Amino acid sequence: MADHYDVLGVQPDASDADIKKAYRRLARELHPDVNPSPDAAERFKDVTHAYDVLSDPEQRRRYDAGPQESPFGGGAAGGFSDIFDAFFGGGGGGGRGNGPRSRAERGQDALLRIEVDLDEVVFGTHKDVEVDTAVVCETCNGSCCAPGTSPRTCDICGGSGHIQRQVRSLLGNVVTSAPCGTCRGYGTVIPNPCPTCQGQGRVRARRTIPVDVPAGVETGLRLQMPGQGEVGPAGGPSGDLYLEVKVRHHDVYSRDGDDLLATLEVQMTDAILGTHTTIDGLDGPVELEVRPGVQSADVLVIKDRGVTKLRGNGRGDLRVGVQVVTPTKLSHKERQLVEQLAKAHKGPGPQLARFQQGMFGKLRDRFFNF
């Protein structure tokens, strides 16, 4: 590693004014606008970095001190760090965990909401979801450095990522370790950050993620997609993507667990005589037989025509509640026919029925109490 004083051509005891003067002289000589040679460009970077360190009083003091060794030795320092941790909750120098930390960190998890139709829930569906997220920078491939360059070992901490200090405490003189303020604990600095990601190793971008939505999902259910979240800093591993499902309202069908619910309007004459009909199910036509004398709130059950179960095998049922429709407008001839029917089928007039437990529940909850 080149000595900063040698790079600027000054002595270690040079004053701040001498350092500034040397930097200006070399900058005029080596600046890319004046000297286009590649060697000059590299020297200009070295000169600029050396001046950044030596012109700052605190950084210069640390540089002059150099990386410090623990006065307790290798084995003793580790044991003393354990004692220090026990009393002060960590921070002892020279022990475990004081190495430089990696720039690459795990990315954050992401949460998206997707909407699916009820018919897509029956058998599951495939969707392509667009998401704005962090992806690896293609220019530096996550290295954070401009192409053709690489990180440089920190001059202040010597690559350890930490600065050790000897302080006095109740236990006497101890060595504490703190992250290096120059490299922020990484042990390296990036003199030439990538111009695309500004040294982050990742950029924001829109990408398309294929999603297989399983059958049987419900509103509020979250699907986890490991490794599909944001890429971490410096190209670190991606977080997870969570998809929160919302099932859209359907105009005809509703859902009760794995069962599908619908209401069938039956004309009064069909309710009396019975009939066959075909309805449009969510997965194709469904044949229904309406028996003679069917009543409102009766439920027709078609097995295995509901939603595919999310966990387990098979499907739920399709439950169709009957609603007998009484005509409100009749022609003169229709009224005569109804009157004839009433005379032929004379029954008691309207009257209160004897209360039976569950009767009103059946009318109120013809699906859910079936």
Side-chain angles (χ1 to χ4, degrees), residues 146-192:
T149 67
S150 60
R152 176 181 296 167
T153 301
C154 178
D155 299 317
I156 304 302
C157 65
S160 67
H162 290 76
I163 299 296
Q164 293 181 343
R165 296 183 179 89
Q166 191 174 47
V167 297
R168 302 189 65 177
S169 72
L170 296 176
L171 300 177
N173 292 334
V174 297
V175 175
T176 63
S177 179
C180 175
T182 301
C183 66
R184 295 184 297 172
Y186 296 124
T188 58
V189 294
I190 299 178
N192 301 286

Side-chain angles (χ1 to χ4, degrees), residues 19 47-48 71 83 128 145 171 228 231 238 259 265 271 319:
I19 292 175
V47 167
T48 301
I83 299 174
D128 291 327
C145 301
L171 300 177
Q228 293 294 337
V231 168
S238 300
D259 292 343
E265 294 183 344
R319 291 190 270 154

Side-chain angles (χ1 to χ4, degrees), residues 74-327:
F80 189 85
S81 176
D82 294 337
I83 299 174
F84 191 92
D85 291 348
F87 279 90
F88 298 100
R96 295 164 294 178
N98 281 347
R101 66 189 181 102
S102 173
R103 293 182 184 274
E105 300 177 2
R106 183 182 185 275
Q108 293 184 341
D109 296 337
L111 174 64
L112 291 179
R113 290 174 175 84
I114 60 172
E115 293 188 355
V116 295
D117 293 323
L118 186 57
D119 56 345
E120 295 176 318
V121 173
V122 176
F123 293 112
T125 186
H126 176 86
K127 287 186 174 293
D128 291 327
V129 178
E130 289 191 347
V131 54
D132 289 319
T133 186
V135 299
V136 175
C137 175
E138 295 184 354
T139 302
C140 67
N141 198 29
S143 70
C144 305
C145 301
T149 67
S150 60
R152 176 181 296 167
T153 301
C154 178
D155 299 317
I156 304 302
C157 65
S160 67
H162 290 76
I163 299 296
Q164 293 181 343
R165 296 183 179 89
Q166 191 174 47
V167 297
R168 302 189 65 177
S169 72
L170 296 176
L171 300 177
N173 292 334
V174 297
V175 175
T176 63
S177 179
C180 175
T182 301
C183 66
R184 295 184 297 172
Y186 296 124
T188 58
V189 294
I190 299 178
N192 301 286
C194 172
T196 302
C197 63
Q198 286 75 50
Q200 296 299 311
R202 59 178 182 171
V203 294
R204 304 297 299 185
R206 177 177 289 267
R207 65 189 181 104
T208 301
I209 301 175
V211 178
D212 290 322
V213 181
V217 295
E218 298 182 82
T219 294
L221 181 71
R222 288 188 178 182
L223 306 175
Q224 182 181 9
M225 302 186 66
Q228 293 294 337
E230 291 193 347
V231 168
S238 300
D240 297 338
L241 174 63
Y242 291 88
L243 300 176
E244 187 171 273
V245 177
K246 178 182 178 182
V247 181
R248 296 189 185 96
H249 170 76
H250 196 279
D251 292 336
V252 175
Y253 289 95
S254 59
R255 180 178 177 183
D256 177 28
D258 296 324
D259 292 343
L260 289 174
L261 312 178
T263 299
L264 181 68
E265 294 183 344
V266 179
Q267 297 299 317
M268 182 181 65
T269 52
D270 288 333
I272 295 172
L273 302 175
T275 186
H276 287 80
T277 187
T278 301
I279 63 173
D280 293 327
L282 292 179
D283 59 339
V286 179
E287 299 289 335
L288 290 179
E289 180 180 359
V290 180
R291 60 176 177 79
V294 69
Q295 302 293 311
S296 288
D298 285 351
V299 178
L300 310 179
V301 180
I302 300 90
K303 292 290 186 181
D304 300 325
R305 293 300 296 268
V307 177
T308 301
K309 297 180 180 180
L310 180 62
R311 297 176 180 86
N313 299 321
R315 298 172 60 182
D317 300 331
L318 171 60
R319 291 190 270 154
V320 181
V322 175
Q323 180 178 340
V324 178
V325 180
T326 303

